[in-house]
Amino acid sequence: MARGYNSVILVGAVTQTPELRHTSSGIAILDVQLAGIYKVVTDLTVHDITWYHRVTMLVKSAEILAEKLEEGSVVFVDARLRYETWEDDSGQRRSTLKLHGIRMDVLTEGVRGDEWAVNDARGQPRLVDSVNEVTAIGNLTKDAELRYTPNGHAVVRLSLAINEKYRDRSGQDQENTHYVDVQVWRDLAEACADLKKGAPVLASGRFVTDSWTDNDGNKRYQNRIEGTRVEFLARSTNGDNGSAWHASAPANGTAKAPPPRATPNLDIDEEFPPEEDLPF
């Protein structure tokens, strides 16, 4: 399996003053809700896209930020994706992809003018010209599947497993796997269509949240990456990752994937974990 990596960079406005809480063991937790607006150009049309994300800060950082942050604060965030699962009251498996904050800094007004933020329908501020960037490296949990919208636009959703190795407080080596969907469009989607299960890739883009209503009328959410760039990573020849790949798909999607190769048996799910709701 490729050596996993993920990083999320956000610059946004705090939508409401966060409240510090503590676990039963005394660990300080601060959930910070951020919002921003960025511009996307599709078919020569400029669209304003709004995002809302919750970042969880822990321990000392949480305590310090609790005294600094208020509604309207503009912050820089360095965060990591964290995949979590649990069982609901009916015993069904639920999962979510959270943002675990590594660093959060309060920014000054700087060169922003009077119209640095726009309020939403609830009166919450959203930062204009915000930053929303995510990069992830992992292995595909299943073959890429190319589809086309009714308007003829190509789209591929890649299911990515990102391994994370770390050492716990007792000094024992541990490993987690984080699962995330990456959706890409048009030429880039067609360039990724031949990717097979187990392929190591680097994907970058924006961190977004899909929402829909299920068959029972419940509101569901899923965090994922809206990909703007995908790179097909080379597999080393020393046995760590199997045979070598020698191609990449840049943002313009002109490159094609290499011919399918046999992939090693990887410790990843046969199917991507179910899309579930965020426990907000």
Side-chain angles (χ1 to χ4, degrees):
M1 179 176 287
R3 182 181 179 185
Y5 171 84
N6 78 83
S7 173
V8 181
I9 301 296
L10 300 174
V11 176
V14 178
T15 61
Q16 55 189 334
T17 302
E19 294 185 5
L20 184 68
R21 57 189 176 91
H22 294 82
T23 66
S24 57
S25 59
I27 297 176
I29 300 177
L30 191 70
D31 290 323
V32 184
Q33 185 80 17
L34 303 176
I37 301 172
Y38 55 80
K39 296 183 183 299
V40 174
V41 179
T42 58
D43 298 329
L44 302 181
T45 302
V46 179
H47 304 274
D48 284 337
I49 307 298
T50 298
W51 57 266
Y52 293 87
H53 292 307
R54 176 174 294 181
V55 180
T56 299
M57 306 297 296
L58 301 176
V59 200
K60 191 63 175 180
S61 295
E63 296 174 343
I64 294 174
L65 289 166
E67 300 178 356
K68 294 182 178 181
L69 297 182
E70 59 185 15
E71 181 179 324
S73 296
V74 178
V75 297
F76 161 85
V77 177
D78 178 10
R80 301 293 180 269
L81 302 172
R82 183 177 296 275
Y83 179 78
E84 297 182 3
T85 61
W86 73 99
E87 287 189 359
D88 63 16
D89 294 338
S90 63
Q92 291 185 321
R93 182 191 178 195
R94 301 296 186 188
S95 62
T96 185
L97 193 67
K98 290 186 174 182
L99 292 177
H100 174 67
I102 304 301
R103 173 175 177 173
M104 182 177 293
D105 292 322
V106 180
L107 305 181
T108 63
E109 183 175 330
V111 297
R112 299 183 186 88
D114 296 333
E115 299 180 355
W116 61 272
V118 176
N119 289 342
D120 62 16
R122 292 175 291 180
Q124 298 179 137
R126 297 169 294 178
L127 181 67
V128 176
D129 293 329
S130 63
V131 176
N132 182 334
E133 301 173 352
V134 56
T135 301
I137 295 175
N139 294 79
L140 299 188
T141 66
K142 57 185 178 182
D143 295 351
E145 182 179 355
L146 178 64
R147 299 180 181 181
Y148 289 88
T149 68
N151 293 330
H153 296 306
V155 58
V156 163
R157 180 165 288 201
L158 306 174
S159 301
L160 203 61
I162 306 167
N163 67 314
E164 175 193 32
K165 294 183 179 180
Y166 64 96
R167 184 161 295 175
D168 60 24
R169 293 183 179 181
S170 63
Q172 299 297 314
D173 290 331
Q174 303 290 342
E175 182 171 353
N176 287 333
T177 302
H178 308 291
Y179 297 94
V180 59
D181 268 357
V182 182
Q183 184 168 277
V184 296
W185 293 84
R186 299 176 174 82
D187 291 347
L188 182 55
E190 293 179 335
C192 295
D194 294 330
L195 286 172
K196 300 299 181 181
K197 176 182 176 180
V201 300
L202 179 153
S204 61
R206 297 176 295 272
F207 193 59
V208 302
T209 302
D210 289 333
S211 63
W212 70 97
T213 302
D214 64 17
N215 295 332
D216 297 325
N218 300 313
K219 195 73 171 180
R220 298 295 189 189
Y221 301 89
Q222 184 200 24
N223 286 333
R224 62 173 175 82
I225 297 174
E226 185 75 5
T228 56
R229 186 181 186 92
V230 174
E231 298 287 347
F232 310 149
L233 298 184
R235 282 178 167 160
S236 65
T237 57
N238 60 7
D240 291 340
N241 293 317
S243 58
W245 291 70
H246 298 290
S248 65
N252 60 14
T254 56
K256 289 293 184 180
R261 296 175 181 263
T263 57
N265 292 324
L266 300 174
D267 186 19
I268 53 181
D269 288 353
E270 181 68 26
E271 293 294 337
F272 192 74
E275 299 174 341
E276 301 296 352
D277 53 331
L278 300 174
F280 278 6

